Amino acid sequence: MHDTAAIRDGIMPLCLNDLETRRFGVTCAQIDGQAAELPNLVEVNQAARAQRVAMISTRVDVGALDRVHALEADGYRLMDTLVYYGRSLRGLSKSRPLPAGITLRLATPEDAPAVERIARSAFRGYFGHYHADPRLDSAAADAAYVQWAGSSVARTDLTTPVLLAVTSNDIVGFVTLRLNTHDEGEAVLAAINPDCQGTGLYGHLFEQALWLCADCGAERMITSTQINNYATQRVWARLGLMHQRSVYTFHKWLTS
């Protein structure tokens, strides 16, 4: 989701986030909280003020308590916790039959408007780090997921396929995928038409996404969600994915 332009002050990584800046109307930036060393926060603040940055975001592994405490002491506030799941793609179970009337196909750029409609309904009021921050506009936070979904479909290719669940009349679900390396696939964003929630469609769609990544040559699959998205994690567990790591998302505002 990040469209960044790097600022370099020596070796200090502070990146302006142009996409977030346009979306929320304030200058946003980010730092790499999972780098080998946490950036010098005094230098980060100096560079941020020189660039008139209003908000800095970062992500840190939950086990890196020294970094967590340093960020908290510097004014960063926790916004969400992401949990990462994964599994080997060897030995996948035979796919279950799809629900009656549902077929699957790969998306083309022409499918972007239909996918955006699903995202607009499915992610309204979602509990990601944008919605958790009371200083960010909730409507703009909703739009972030819509734009993310639509742009993923508009730019889909062999390394970033998008799998669709369709009926005779419409697209009712999607999962965007990405090949991070030649042997690792990632399910990045997924949603089901709210009218189809509770039908088991998400599980079928995600199961087929595992097979699609395997067919693309990947040997393992990862994915992530917010820690309190329990229903999704239950589906992943049934499909053999296991919790592997967790990451905190922090925001810091430099303006009052």
Side-chain angles (χ1 to χ4, degrees), residues 105-113 115 150 152-156 162 164 171:
R105 66 172 174 85
L106 291 176
T108 66
E110 290 72 25
D111 295 314
V115 168
S152 296
V153 174
R155 299 194 302 263
T156 186
V162 178
L164 303 178
I171 296 169

Side-chain angles (χ1 to χ4, degrees), residues 5-215:
I7 306 169
R8 294 293 173 185
D9 182 2
I11 59 172
M12 185 221 28
L14 173 67
C15 296
L16 289 179
N17 192 314
D18 295 334
L19 183 57
E20 289 183 355
T21 297
R22 292 194 300 271
R23 179 177 296 134
F24 296 112
V26 295
T27 303
C28 298
Q30 62 200 56
I31 60 174
D32 185 358
Q34 300 180 78
E37 293 184 7
L38 185 68
N40 184 302
L41 297 180
V42 173
E43 294 180 354
V44 168
N45 293 333
Q46 291 172 345
R49 291 189 174 94
Q51 295 290 326
R52 299 184 182 277
V53 169
M55 186 191 81
I56 305 172
S57 62
T58 191
R59 283 186 165 139
V60 181
D61 189 275
V62 298
L65 291 180
D66 55 339
R67 298 189 181 199
V68 170
H69 295 159
L71 291 166
E72 290 175 330
D74 197 56
Y76 287 79
R77 296 181 64 191
L78 179 65
M79 293 297 156
D80 75 6
T81 304
L82 292 178
V83 288
Y84 282 80
Y85 279 66
R87 66 155 292 167
S88 168
L89 294 177
R90 298 177 180 177
L92 287 175
S93 300
K94 183 178 179 181
S95 298
R96 298 168 297 158
L98 292 169
I102 299 292
T103 59
L104 301 180
R105 66 172 174 85
L106 291 176
T108 66
E110 290 72 25
D111 295 314
V115 168
E116 287 178 347
R117 285 195 296 272
I118 294 175
R120 187 170 293 109
S121 298
F123 289 105
R124 185 175 295 116
Y126 189 63
F127 40 81
H129 66 106
Y130 293 145
H131 288 94
D133 193 326
R135 298 186 63 172
L136 295 177
D137 179 71
S138 60
D142 288 345
Y145 293 96
V146 177
Q147 184 178 12
W148 188 7
S151 62
S152 296
V153 174
R155 299 194 302 263
T156 186
D157 60 23
L158 293 177
T159 62
T160 56
V162 178
L163 187 62
L164 303 178
V166 302
T167 65
S168 58
N169 299 319
D170 205 0
I171 296 169
V172 293
F174 70 89
V175 56
T176 71
L177 302 165
R178 178 174 65 213
L179 292 178
N180 295 328
T181 65
H182 72 280
D183 62 354
E184 181 183 87
E186 181 174 1
V188 181
L189 187 68
I192 300 297
N193 186 314
D195 293 338
C196 297
Q197 291 178 357
T199 65
L201 177 58
Y202 175 79
H204 286 281
L205 183 60
F206 200 93
E207 183 178 30
Q208 293 300 318
L210 294 172
W211 277 102
L212 177 56
C213 282
D215 290 342

